[in-house]
Amino acid sequence: MAMENDSSVAEFILTGLTDQPELQLPLFFLFLVNCTVTVVGNMSLIVLIFLNLHLHTPMYFFLFNLSFIDFCYSFVCTPKMLMSFVSERNIISFAGCMTQLFFLCFFVNSECYVLTAMAYDRYVAICQPLLYRVVMSPKVCSLLMLGSYFMGFAGAMVHTGCMMRLNFCDSNIINHYMCDIFPLLQLSCSSTHVNELVSSVVVVTVVSASSLIILVSYALILYNIIHMSSAKGWYKAMSTCGSHIVTVGLFYGFGLLTHVKTSSPGSVTQEKLFSVFCNFGVPMLNPLIYSLRNKDVKLALKRTLKRITN
């Protein structure tokens, strides 16, 4: 797909997060630290899972892919965000903007499906423990991940393809720190009805399907936990689901708040703020959520450090 259309706009200007000069330098270092923590945290989890055989289970296979997505996602928005704090005009080419939009949609959609697969994995582990190794075989896990990436790719292609058919002939100033769908639609001088319809259908389908599977999985898990006679089994079941529940809550919570439209004067600023938590906060927190109270990850870290020091 060629990165061009009939619009007269060859480049866009990103307004960034804020236009207050006194905040530019502190925010630059804040997001630089955020990027460093995100990259180091997710890469560490990827390496630990790869090197330690006792983590080669379906749950950690999905976690490996989740960390991989968050690791890659950190490079989609961060470079242009950091540039907006140190340059007078944060310019991005039309091709660069469409590329950023594609990878933004790809990783967000893929993470949505990976979180859904993780919920199904927890359901099988708790509700059907005797069949766990059969149901969640390496082949099934691989197919679930391939399906997640394929659906993420398909969704990204639809969003990007629809965006590239639009004409941008008036203003080229995007009131955002990245090339997102709705800020771009506001700049188009052609009809955006098809884009809005397609975006709504894709988003509603992805969110509804994944949310339904997650909710049903946890409803069945909760029903199973209630009927557990052992307090130890109840605690173990809750501890294995706790991290995933927190991650899902943060991902969908901030994602929903980001796309809720209000008519208040500060709605754009509010949208940017929630978007920052969704795009920068969640990928940074995921490795911490899955490792701080996880005995398997702590054991893997000790073994890995022991190998390095010996």
Side-chain angles (χ1 to χ4, degrees), residues 280-292:
F280 297 92
V282 175
M284 180 187 71
L285 292 174
N286 280 346
L288 300 176
I289 293 170
Y290 279 98
S291 60
L292 287 179

Side-chain angles (χ1 to χ4, degrees), residues 39-173:
V39 169
V40 172
N42 284 289
M43 181 53 69
S44 298
L45 208 50
I46 289 171
V47 171
L48 287 177
I49 294 171
F50 180 78
L51 293 179
N52 291 270
L53 292 176
H54 75 282
L55 296 182
H56 291 185
T57 63
M59 184 178 79
Y60 290 104
F61 173 72
F62 295 132
L63 182 55
F64 179 95
N65 283 274
L66 181 67
S67 295
F68 173 75
I69 290 172
D70 287 338
F71 173 81
C72 296
Y73 187 59
S74 64
F75 295 103
V76 175
C77 304
T78 305
K80 296 305 292 183
M81 170 71 95
L82 293 176
M83 192 176 293
S84 69
F85 297 131
V86 295
S87 60
E88 292 185 7
R89 291 204 316 166
N90 190 10
I91 298 173
I92 185 170
S93 66
F94 181 84
C97 187
M98 293 301 106
T99 301
Q100 187 184 61
L101 176 65
F102 172 82
F103 283 108
L104 173 71
C105 295
F106 172 68
F107 288 124
V108 169
N109 287 343
S110 297
E111 180 155 345
C112 194
Y113 290 116
V114 170
L115 289 173
T116 305
M118 293 175 79
Y120 176 70
D121 171 70
R122 291 299 84 205
Y123 155 72
V124 177
I126 294 172
C127 299
Q128 301 180 32
L130 298 178
L131 298 174
Y132 182 66
R133 291 186 178 276
V134 177
V135 176
M136 301 305 295
S137 64
K139 182 180 179 180
V140 171
C141 292
S142 298
L143 287 174
L144 285 172
M145 284 303 94
L146 285 174
S148 298
Y149 289 123
F150 175 77
M151 293 299 291
F153 176 81
M157 286 295 291
V158 170
H159 284 301
T160 310
C162 287
M163 192 63 68
M164 290 179 64
R165 59 176 287 275
L166 297 179
N167 291 321
F168 300 93
C169 48
D170 296 327
S171 174
N172 68 334
I173 300 176

